[in-house]
Amino acid sequence: NYLLTGSDSRECIDPTGERSDTIMVLRVEPATRQAAVLSFPRDLWVSVAGSNKTSRISETFDPQNPKQLIDTIWENLLIPVDHYVNVDFCAFKDIVDAIGGIAFPFEYAARDRNTGLDIAVPECHTFGGDEALAYVRSRHYEYLDPATNGWITDPTSDLGRITRQQDFLQRAIRKAIDASLGNPAALMD
């Protein structure tokens, strides 16, 4: 089990602090080469490991020391964590660019004015690092209804963001694996 955290270190976009914006456990079954992802909403209330208090799971995040977050996941959900990976905004953008971007099919034009996401036309759009970051951070996602020519807000907010992040992660992993099938050393680059 890999604990994946996406911290919103804003060094690349706005240096004003760091929190965990994304918390996922990726379970990889080496024998079957299958993987599953479980995401936790950052506002999920949990009993904080090593204390008598409850708080949001994101409050247990420390990018330099993941022990409290790992222990909190174990004590609340009985999910063991074997490995820890934290990816901040800068690293996320670099990873997407390194694998040549990620393609997404958009049935409708889409946007999020808070993150800068702007998909002007329905298409299979390949995200570079900056656009991918705007997409996976989107909590105020909107799409253009062609029947009314009006923007419709995704009512799922944080849960919609989690769904988009899971889909994005699956596409990125698939692309990285496909790229490495002919050259296993490519995964090490």
Side-chain angles (χ1 to χ4, degrees), residues 82-186:
D82 304 304
H83 307 281
Y84 169 69
V85 178
N86 180 53
V87 178
D88 66 14
F89 285 170
C90 301
F92 177 86
K93 294 189 315 186
D94 290 345
I95 289 168
V96 172
D97 288 338
I99 62 176
I102 304 294
F104 269 81
F106 284 89
E107 188 174 354
Y108 306 104
R111 70 181 184 191
D112 183 328
R113 293 179 181 171
N114 291 7
T115 66
L117 175 67
D118 184 17
I119 306 300
V121 296
E123 65 179 353
C124 186
H125 184 82
T126 299
F127 286 123
D130 288 321
E131 284 183 315
L133 183 60
Y135 178 73
V136 300
R137 292 184 60 230
S138 178
R139 221 178 260 110
H140 304 280
Y141 186 87
E142 298 176 299
Y143 65 92
L144 186 63
D145 180 353
T148 64
N149 205 32
W151 290 97
I152 297 177
T153 301
D154 175 8
T156 61
S157 186
D158 216 22
L159 296 176
R161 179 180 62 91
I162 288 171
T163 301
R164 288 186 290 278
Q165 288 172 346
Q166 288 176 336
D167 183 40
F168 190 91
L169 179 62
Q170 290 169 359
R171 290 171 188 270
I173 290 171
R174 192 174 312 119
K175 183 164 184 185
I177 289 171
D178 288 348
S180 69
L181 286 178
N183 179 13

Side-chain angles (χ1 to χ4, degrees), residues 44-112:
L44 176 68
W45 279 88
V46 293
S47 297
V48 177
S51 76
N52 292 325
K53 66 179 185 173
T54 59
S55 185
R56 290 176 177 88
I57 195 168
S58 62
E59 296 297 319
T60 66
F61 170 75
D62 177 347
Q64 305 306 315
N65 182 5
K67 182 171 178 17
Q68 187 173 49
L69 177 57
I70 290 169
D71 291 347
T72 297
I73 290 171
W74 170 251
E75 290 179 16
N76 286 266
L77 304 161
L78 300 178
I79 299 172
V81 172
D82 304 304
H83 307 281
Y84 169 69
V85 178
N86 180 53
V87 178
D88 66 14
F89 285 170
C90 301
F92 177 86
K93 294 189 315 186
D94 290 345
I95 289 168
V96 172
D97 288 338
I99 62 176
I102 304 294
F104 269 81
F106 284 89
E107 188 174 354
Y108 306 104
R111 70 181 184 191
D112 183 328

